Amino acid sequence: MNRNIKEMKIVIVGGGPSGLGLARVLQLKGCKNVKIYERSTHKYSRLQGSSLDLHSNLGQKLIIAAGLEDQFKILSRPDGECFSFCDKNGNLKIRKPYLKIAGKRPEIDRGDLRDMIMDSLLPDTVEWDYRFKSLKQIENEQVELTFTNNDGTIVKDPVIADLVIGCDGVHSKVRKYVTLDQYQPEYMGITMIEGEVSDGKNSCPEIYNLVNQGLMFVMEDGIVMFAQQKTDGNIVFSFAQKVDKDWINNQGFDLSPNSNSPDIKNFLKNKLVPTWSPMFHRLIDLSITPFKPRVLYRAPINQVWKSQPNITIIGDAAHSISPFAGLGCNIALYDSYELATILTKDIDIIIQKPLIEKIQNFEKNMLNRWRTAAKETMENENSVFLPNGIDALKKRIGGIYYYFNSFLSLNNVVNCINYFTDLILLTK
């Protein structure tokens, strides 16, 4: 018997942007019995990191379906689309300035995106301090889920669901119940160390000017450095290098939440980038948060699985991807948009498609879309770390700016175009 999706109890494991976005759209479509179970103990227990550029054909589809366009316009930063390439001496080599009339990928801080969607949900949608442990199929085509609290105590009453969606990230524990343990994410060979400085304009003015409200890259000595401005003026930065998977554990760094990370600072300045400009060393010294290691994983490109009747996965839980094309969160949010659309397409029709058919349709589309994105991000990844590939990355990201930056003050030209389009009300 096919039940209407509105009558089903839907459980979402994981309260990141994709899980929150999925719940929001489902609720707008009439599914009121939706719950998110999140491992964090409360809303602000985890730092949210840097910004995301949401593409008009991917992540913004979810924003529109969620009815959050106005809030998104207030919180996002279109000028965050600026890209700059510098050398290790702090010299600007290429800049792709923000051209308003062509802008399609505004930046939004991860924390702002999460809060915006979370605050739009029905009261008590999110249950905190629920760490997924296991699930099993039970009678009536339902699923029984067991959770623990963060102290390891098993939650007394199991959760019963008609549909389970795993949105629990690259190290998903729900995944194995969908793929039957056939596929696991593979270490990319890249580890990043991330820090953050406050009030970049005054604390690190040289870096601030190079970032130019957007994103700055340095690719030298086998190291890739990113710096990105947030809405509050802080600058988040990362150093990426190719190392063994256990490298970060073998270094013996103090990664405790209250550490001011002197050992990591010394390593970065004196061993990783000793010959880089003092401005980068100052950036490292002024980090206000404990440095966070990011060990990067990606899903195997050939993965495919037999769909389950009442469980699916989306985002990094299904198809983790490297960050070198800015597509990870975008395709995760599009997953949420498409899954909610497919599940509710016939919501007002008496006879609905079986749930398994909807899941099969969604997973086929999801994996095809992800493979295309994965190939693009792997090309960027190769360009970043191969000396002869850096030029190709600059051309790909910089576009026409790559060819004209050397003999034309494109920044002034773009500023004039932006002024004119504002004047005639095409932009603002």
Side-chain angles (χ1 to χ4, degrees):
M1 178 179 176
N2 297 331
R3 295 173 56 195
N4 192 298
I5 192 71
K6 286 192 291 188
E7 301 169 0
M8 293 185 185
K9 181 173 183 181
I10 301 172
V11 165
I12 297 171
V13 179
S18 60
L20 295 167
L22 174 62
R24 166 65 175 176
V25 178
L26 287 172
Q27 288 177 348
L28 286 180
K29 296 286 188 177
C31 303
K32 306 303 181 184
N33 200 0
V34 179
K35 279 283 190 182
I36 298 172
Y37 292 86
E38 165 57 34
R39 65 175 180 165
S40 299
T41 54
H42 58 82
K43 187 176 182 179
Y44 299 109
S45 63
R46 285 197 289 169
L47 295 173
Q48 294 300 304
S50 58
S51 297
L52 304 160
D53 62 323
L54 295 194
H55 301 191
S56 59
N57 63 329
L58 290 171
Q60 289 184 51
K61 293 282 191 180
L62 182 280
I63 299 299
I64 294 169
L68 298 172
E69 286 177 276
D70 291 340
Q71 294 94 316
F72 178 71
K73 288 178 181 177
I74 293 171
L75 294 171
S76 63
R77 305 187 314 279
D79 49 7
E81 291 188 52
C82 176
F83 286 88
S84 301
F85 291 90
C86 309
D87 65 20
K88 66 181 183 180
N89 297 313
N91 300 312
L92 179 64
K93 294 299 185 181
I94 298 170
R95 171 165 286 163
K96 179 183 178 182
Y98 163 54
L99 181 60
K100 288 186 177 182
I101 198 168
K104 294 181 180 180
R105 301 178 176 183
E107 295 276 343
I108 184 169
D109 288 1
R110 290 175 182 270
D112 288 342
L113 175 64
R114 182 204 61 174
D115 292 349
M116 177 185 73
I117 304 175
M118 189 181 297
D119 292 345
S120 73
L121 298 174
L122 296 175
D124 302 319
T125 297
V126 181
E127 297 284 352
W128 300 100
D129 197 15
Y130 273 76
R131 189 176 284 268
F132 176 79
K133 180 176 176 61
S134 63
L135 63 77
K136 63 180 180 181
Q137 298 286 345
I138 59 176
E139 60 185 7
N140 297 323
E141 299 179 342
Q142 291 185 308
V143 179
E144 180 181 293
L145 299 93
T146 300
F147 292 88
T148 68
N149 299 130
N150 278 277
D151 62 6
T153 305
I154 294 179
V155 177
K156 183 179 179 181
D157 296 321
V159 173
I160 307 301
D162 298 300
L163 172 61
V164 176
I165 301 112
C167 309
D168 51 337
V170 62
H171 299 297
S172 169
K173 292 185 178 180
V174 177
R175 182 193 300 114
K176 68 179 182 180
Y177 297 97
V178 175
T179 67
L180 305 182
D181 254 350
Q182 293 181 79
Y183 302 99
Q184 294 295 328
E186 305 161 342
Y187 176 55
M188 288 172 46
I190 300 169
T191 292
M192 303 172 70
I193 298 177
E194 180 182 292
E196 181 173 340
V197 298
S198 63
D199 187 15
K201 184 175 183 179
N202 293 305
S203 62
C204 298
E206 294 169 303
I207 297 289
Y208 175 84
N209 289 331
L210 290 172
V211 170
N212 196 39
Q213 302 179 70
L215 182 63
M216 179 193 74
F217 300 85
V218 181
M219 296 173 284
E220 290 201 37
D221 302 333
I223 306 299
V224 179
M225 184 265 187
F226 308 85
Q228 184 178 43
Q229 184 175 323
K230 296 172 63 177
T231 300
D232 61 6
N234 285 10
I235 293 177
V236 175
F237 63 93
S238 297
F239 290 91
Q241 57 180 326
K242 287 212 164 192
V243 290
D244 294 336
K245 182 171 66 173
D246 297 325
W247 177 85
I248 198 74
N249 294 326
N250 294 336
Q251 296 303 305
F253 293 142
D254 181 1
L255 299 172
S256 59
N258 297 319
S259 171
N260 64 1
S261 311
D263 50 352
I264 299 180
K265 291 178 180 180
N266 287 332
F267 169 81
L268 292 175
K269 291 188 301 177
N270 300 323
K271 293 186 178 181
L272 194 68
V273 293
T275 62
W276 289 32
S277 167
M279 73 172 70
F280 297 108
H281 292 183
R282 178 174 173 78
L283 183 75
I284 293 165
D285 280 332
L286 292 176
S287 182
I288 59 171
T289 59
F291 284 90
K292 293 176 287 186
R294 300 198 182 279
V295 183
L296 302 185
Y297 289 82
R298 61 168 167 238
I301 197 74
N302 64 335
Q303 67 173 355
V304 64
W305 58 79
K306 181 180 179 181
S307 298
Q308 302 301 312
N310 48 11
I311 313 170
T312 190
I313 48 179
I314 66 174
D316 280 349
H319 47 66
S320 52
I321 193 171
S322 81
F324 294 106
L327 292 172
C329 188
N330 272 285
I331 58 175
L333 291 176
Y334 195 92
D335 289 349
S336 302
Y337 160 73
E338 185 178 54
L339 179 57
T341 300
I342 289 174
L343 289 174
T344 61
K345 186 175 182 180
D346 55 359
I347 197 168
D348 294 320
I349 299 174
I350 296 176
I351 300 177
Q352 298 193 343
K353 284 185 178 180
L355 184 58
I356 179 64
E357 289 187 19
K358 296 180 179 181
I359 292 175
Q360 287 171 336
N361 184 19
F362 164 72
E363 290 181 348
K364 179 181 178 181
N365 293 344
M366 174 184 68
L367 290 175
N368 286 337
R369 178 170 57 251
W370 158 74
R371 285 191 188 94
T372 300
K375 290 174 183 176
E376 177 182 345
T377 197
M378 282 190 284
E379 288 178 5
N380 284 357
E381 175 193 329
N382 290 333
S383 296
V384 161
F385 284 99
L386 293 177
N388 60 352
I390 291 176
D391 226 34
L393 181 63
K394 290 177 180 178
K395 291 178 183 178
R396 187 152 57 244
I397 294 179
I400 62 169
Y401 304 104
Y402 174 84
Y403 297 99
F404 295 113
N405 256 283
S406 59
F407 60 87
L408 183 65
S409 181
L410 279 180
N411 211 47
N412 292 335
V413 172
V414 168
N415 286 339
C416 289
I417 295 173
N418 288 341
Y419 175 79
F420 178 72
T421 55
D422 283 353
L423 192 66
I424 63 175
L425 303 181
L426 281 177
T427 58
K428 62 177 181 178

